[in-house]
Amino acid sequence: MIGVEDTSGKISVVDYFIFSGALIFIILKTVYSSGELTPDSIQYLLQAQNLWGYKVNFPLGYPFLIKIVSFVTGSLLIASKVVNILAYLGTVLFSYRKKFFLSQTILIFSFYPFINLYSPSLSEPLYFFINYLIIYYVYQYIKEGFTIKNTVYLSLLFFFLVSVRFSGVFVLAAVLAFLAYFNFKNKYPAKSFIIPAVSVTVGALAYLIINHMYSGFALGRRDHLYIPPASLMEFMPKMLWSALNDFSFLNTILHKGILNRITSFNIFIGTVLFILFIFLIVKKRKQLSYFNVYLIFSFIIITLGILYSYYTTGIDNTIRIKSNAYLYMIFFIFLNSKNYLTRFFQGFVIFSLLFNCLTIIKYAENIISYLPKFSRLICPSKDKIVYITYKDIRDEKERNHSSVLFFKAYLIDKGYSIEISDDGNQKAPGCHVTTSEIINRQ
């Protein structure tokens, strides 16, 4: 088994082209959109607005950083976009500075699903960045063995990782399992495992203790998420179908409406990618480096953690969650692919970035165009409360409409409180706005 790979490869003009194209895509998608927001985005912005008063099921790391950056931007919404763009830049620049798989890094983080998560106001980009640093320092552990400096870095990084997303505990489990395997295989002294293992665990636990003091729950309140487990015979086919659908790289260039019409082909592409992953493992099993083994360990353990979460809780079943495992699978594929296969993936990324950039410019509307209309909808209110009335608050399309979410973000930035109802009761004094007024383009 090889210890580590040689990471000192020159990057090509294609790599620079992909990097520049990815930045342009992120900026265009951010500017030409309805804010690129989800219901979770609104929760993050509300949490950033009032960190100690608005307590939700999310950890503090991402909204806290939004709050800090907003002192410069003057806007929580803009701050969330800046944080995510800096996360992409930070990943690539760190890779460049450390000469750590730079070509593969540029390709991975410009690939689906990662590139599509940098413009929405979500915590994933920051999570990817911190997770990438952890991958680097595990690589350094493989290369250099136990050092106090790298152990301290890993401990701090796990504190920050769990403070951004609780799924960082899956990454912790993967790292602990790999460190145990690595030390056992090399017959290192016990302290080479115990000290870093305790250190990274303490780093993660330190934030969980803070979160318990903050909200009363180490991992956030989860009792309302638990569901009666379905039978494995029902669950596994459904989960497998969902995973393969999300792992298909066609998702990056095709509109969801089109994808719904070619579901089987999308599943086929995801299956091919997964089979390629397994094929490379089998083919290179006798030449696998310890770093490759770490990537495989992480994919398996994190996937098992995600499966357990899906099986026991009612959380969203999307690529946003699966990308936590997908990172390791795609890293392994790009690291072990032949040149011609890498060139195919690079060509596909360039095509999809160009296709999406042109589509955004042609069909999307500049985010600035929404602001005058939103300004007119807000009437004077001494208590700075805006009441948003829904036709049917149970209607997910109405509730999660991009214009409605953007209007909420706009109100948050202006310092307004938001009250919602679906009964049309406007007896309370103050400013009342209906969702139909928000959605109406006029």
Side-chain angles (χ1 to χ4, degrees), residues 205-244:
L205 286 176
Y207 176 73
L208 295 180
I209 291 171
I210 291 173
N211 202 74
H212 188 275
M213 292 188 293
Y214 165 69
S215 67
F217 303 89
L219 291 169
R221 185 177 179 181
R222 305 182 67 82
D223 55 336
H224 65 292
L225 297 174
Y226 288 113
I227 58 175
S231 71
L232 288 176
M233 293 297 291
E234 295 176 1
F235 173 77
M236 292 308 296
K238 180 181 177 181
M239 181 62 200
L240 182 62
W241 183 270
S242 172
L244 294 175

Side-chain angles (χ1 to χ4, degrees), residues 269-299:
I269 296 296
T271 303
V272 168
L273 201 63
F274 182 73
I275 289 174
L276 177 60
F277 173 65
I278 301 300
F279 171 77
L280 290 171
I281 293 175
V282 174
K283 182 180 179 181
K284 295 176 174 285
R285 63 188 182 280
K286 294 182 180 179
Q287 296 86 34
L288 286 176
S289 69
Y290 280 117
F291 183 64
N292 274 306
V293 172
Y294 164 65
L295 296 177
I296 296 168
F297 257 65
S298 297
F299 174 76

Side-chain angles (χ1 to χ4, degrees), residues 230-274:
S231 71
L232 288 176
M233 293 297 291
E234 295 176 1
F235 173 77
M236 292 308 296
K238 180 181 177 181
M239 181 62 200
L240 182 62
W241 183 270
S242 172
L244 294 175
N245 181 66
D246 284 339
F247 284 175
S248 168
F249 50 74
L250 286 183
N251 287 285
T252 192
I253 62 169
L254 295 176
H255 188 275
K256 292 295 182 184
I258 299 174
L259 287 174
N260 291 336
R261 293 176 173 82
I262 58 166
T263 303
S264 297
F265 187 63
N266 207 42
I267 296 293
F268 171 75
I269 296 296
T271 303
V272 168
L273 201 63
F274 182 73

Side-chain angles (χ1 to χ4, degrees), residues 68-87:
I68 296 299
V69 176
S70 72
F71 292 132
V72 177
T73 64
S75 161
L76 293 170
L77 178 60
I78 295 175
S80 69
K81 309 303 183 183
V82 171
V83 168
N84 290 359
I85 291 174
L86 290 177

Side-chain angles (χ1 to χ4, degrees), residues 3-4 100 131-145 150-151 153-154 157-158 171-172 174-176 178-179 182 200 290-295 298 328:
V4 293
F100 181 63
N131 203 1
Y132 183 79
L133 299 183
I134 289 173
I135 291 172
Y136 170 78
Y137 282 106
V138 171
Y139 177 86
Q140 290 301 107
Y141 183 91
I142 295 169
K143 185 178 179 181
E144 302 174 358
N150 289 341
T151 299
Y153 285 152
L154 275 173
L157 287 170
F158 268 107
V171 181
L172 174 65
V175 168
L176 291 176
F178 173 75
L179 290 180
F182 179 74
V200 297
Y290 280 117
F291 183 64
N292 274 306
V293 172
Y294 164 65
L295 296 177
S298 297
Y328 296 92

